Amino acid sequence: MKRIETLCVQGGYTPGNGEPRQIPIIQSTTFKYDTGEDMAKLFDLEADGYFYSRLQNPTCDAVAAKICELEGGSSAMLTGSGQAANFYAVFNIVSAGDHVVASSAIYGGSYNLFAVTMKKMGIDFTFVSPDCTRAELDAAFRPETKAVFGETIANPALTVLDIEMFAKAAHAHGVPLIVDNTFATPINCRPIEWGADIVTHSTTKYMDGHGATLGGCIVDSGRFDWTRYPEKFPGLTTPDDSYHGVIYTERFGIEKAFITKATSQLMRDFGSVQSPQNAFMLNLGLESLHVRVPRHCENARAVAEFLSKHPKILHVNYCDLPGDKYHDRALKYLPNGSCGVVSFRIKGGREAAEAFMRALRVASIETHVADARTCCLHPAGTTHRQMNDDELAAAGVWPDLVRLSCGLESSKDLIEDLAQALENA
């Protein structure tokens, strides 16, 4: 088995004799076949191949295969965004009347997707604290529960999910655990090794790493046995009339059924495809992921240590710091480092936080995060502004909270910038 550094550089694609060394960009919507019968087999899921890039494309599949190897999964697919990845991962196994248990400390866009948009589709979510006990977590399940969802490192509260406990609870109730691993990346955590069944990513973040291209990815572990619970997951275990009665678990096995269904049904109908050009650019970022992530963590650790001692800072969230609420949990799941994002509360409330950000010179105010360039955001006023005060508190987002994504610059320059901004604010 190749080590993760080698997989970042060479995973997913092995050129043959005389073939391109770099993943080729197959910039084509369609693919030519000699006979209608050949194409018909593809439409019936009876043969492998490509016929329309809304469903699959060779460039996208090669990059998905690399991320699949990095996470230790069995199959994977790219999507047009991280939001699409989370939606597909959940919607692939739920329908109107079903229920999902989710951590309350998740990205604001994901919360809105679950609590508002999917609720309109008849799917109900119960949000539990990432710090809940096993008994409290068990109490959230219902007979119609179909999945559990959480983030390895929550955006922006930086809570660390107890993946193993959430996985054991999910499995005890016969449902899979879906984990968004965007912030940790497979460099610092591989949730499948701790019991997660499905892993999602906003590849827009560290995987691309340069603010160049939107994207998402879903990785299936291939370990959850859908056939043990046929009544819970009929979409995977009973005939699909739109493909002449194919049963995904029978035709593709538990290792491929989930991703095949998501591709052939959801991508077919919703079309949140990642373009070959974007996939190519994503792969360029993946090739240096193992080099960049440790530097992001190194800078964030230095910044967190500086902020933790500053008299104008009320509190710092960074699990690598000894004394942090999640430090012990981070030692278990993230022993090599967490991420490059630090969140902190500034004395003086919302006004002080906004004044601080206006005074920054090196860090820029952006909606983005996990970029080569340092960027900053006030979550309560932007990404989480749709939440009420109670929802903000449950997500760990206070009015005075600032999220700082440390880039690849000199940590000394970042600290000097923070120091002058705090002084001027």
Side-chain angles (χ1 to χ4, degrees):
M1 178 179 174
K2 295 184 178 69
R3 292 170 174 81
I4 202 161
E5 297 87 352
T6 304
L7 293 176
C8 282
V9 180
Q10 295 194 19
Y13 171 71
T14 302
N17 188 41
E19 293 182 346
R21 186 63 193 89
Q22 182 56 278
I23 293 176
I25 303 172
I26 309 301
Q27 191 63 44
S28 181
T29 60
T30 54
F31 300 81
K32 178 259 184 187
Y33 286 87
D34 292 335
T35 69
E37 290 78 11
D38 289 336
M39 185 170 287
K41 292 178 181 178
L42 298 174
F43 275 88
D44 287 343
L45 304 181
E46 293 178 352
D48 292 330
Y50 302 93
F51 58 90
Y52 198 57
S53 283
R54 188 177 77 237
L55 277 84
Q56 287 180 281
N57 174 281
T59 306
C60 296
D61 281 358
V63 180
K66 173 178 285 191
I67 298 173
C68 186
E69 289 187 67
L70 290 172
E71 285 288 6
S74 65
S75 55
M77 64 184 291
L78 298 187
T79 60
S81 68
Q83 279 288 87
N86 282 337
F87 172 62
Y88 282 11
V90 175
F91 195 64
N92 201 35
I93 51 176
V94 301
S95 58
D98 285 340
H99 172 255
V100 177
V101 177
S103 169
S104 61
I106 55 176
Y107 169 57
S110 299
Y111 181 90
N112 195 68
L113 168 67
F114 298 155
V116 180
T117 302
M118 294 187 74
K119 185 175 182 179
K120 295 176 183 177
M121 303 168 74
I123 301 157
D124 198 17
F125 284 77
T126 295
F127 295 93
V128 298
S129 168
D131 301 326
C132 66
T133 64
R134 173 62 190 270
E136 291 169 334
L137 181 55
D138 284 332
F141 286 83
R142 305 175 187 171
E144 63 271 22
T145 301
K146 297 297 178 65
V148 179
F149 181 92
E151 295 179 0
T152 307
I153 305 172
N155 176 13
L158 301 182
T159 60
V160 178
L161 189 72
D162 190 343
I163 302 172
E164 195 169 34
M165 185 189 80
F166 271 70
K168 288 179 178 178
H171 297 159
H173 292 271
V175 301
L177 172 63
I178 304 170
V179 174
D180 184 329
N181 197 35
T182 297
F183 268 20
T185 82
I187 303 302
N188 284 342
C189 183
R190 305 210 317 172
I192 291 172
E193 295 177 352
W194 296 101
D197 302 289
I198 298 157
V199 174
T200 63
H201 284 276
S202 170
T203 62
T204 313
K205 308 305 190 296
Y206 286 118
M207 286 187 167
D208 165 37
H210 299 85
T213 178
L214 290 169
C217 185
I218 307 171
V219 179
D220 180 20
S221 70
R223 296 179 182 177
F224 190 85
D225 189 355
W226 312 100
T227 63
R228 288 186 62 190
Y229 315 97
E231 72 289 347
K232 284 181 177 287
F233 307 105
L236 289 160
T237 60
T238 62
D240 179 358
D241 292 336
S242 67
Y243 284 105
H244 303 294
V246 64
I247 299 175
Y248 293 98
T249 50
E250 286 186 3
R251 177 77 61 84
F252 304 100
I254 63 171
E255 296 84 4
K256 305 290 183 182
F258 182 88
I259 292 297
T260 301
K261 178 179 180 294
T263 302
S264 58
Q265 280 189 0
L266 303 187
M267 194 63 83
R268 175 196 66 191
D269 295 341
F270 291 104
S272 299
V273 66
Q274 186 166 152
S275 76
Q277 291 278 352
N278 281 16
F280 178 85
M281 294 172 71
L282 166 60
N283 185 62
L284 295 179
L286 288 169
E287 289 179 351
S288 63
L289 184 67
H290 61 295
V291 179
R292 291 184 289 105
V293 167
R295 177 57 182 266
H296 282 291
C297 294
E298 177 185 327
N299 280 355
R301 174 67 182 262
V303 163
E305 289 176 346
F306 163 76
L307 291 171
S308 67
K309 300 171 185 176
H310 198 284
K312 289 189 176 182
I313 299 300
L314 185 64
H315 181 73
V316 176
N317 296 319
Y318 193 65
C319 63
D320 288 348
L321 285 181
D324 184 89
K325 181 178 180 179
Y326 297 98
H327 185 63
D328 289 344
R329 197 175 290 176
L331 290 176
K332 175 179 178 177
Y333 295 113
L334 303 153
N336 297 320
S338 58
C339 65
V341 181
V342 180
S343 63
F344 51 95
R345 300 176 65 185
I346 298 179
K347 293 179 181 178
R350 181 188 291 261
E351 294 77 12
E354 293 174 343
F356 161 79
M357 292 201 305
R358 287 195 296 270
L360 291 168
R361 297 169 184 166
V362 176
S364 59
I365 299 174
E366 301 177 28
T367 310
H368 198 35
V369 70
D371 189 86
R373 294 159 290 267
T374 296
C375 48
C376 195
L377 193 72
H378 179 238
T382 53
T383 56
H384 290 65
R385 69 179 297 118
Q386 77 277 7
M387 293 183 175
N388 60 40
D389 289 344
D390 291 339
E391 292 168 340
L392 286 171
V397 180
W398 304 97
D400 53 9
L401 185 76
V402 172
R403 184 189 72 185
L404 183 74
S405 174
C406 299
L408 302 178
E409 305 93 344
S410 163
S411 61
K412 293 180 180 179
D413 286 340
L414 297 182
I415 290 171
E416 288 176 3
D417 188 35
L418 295 173
Q420 67 82 23
L422 287 166
E423 181 65 28
N424 292 329

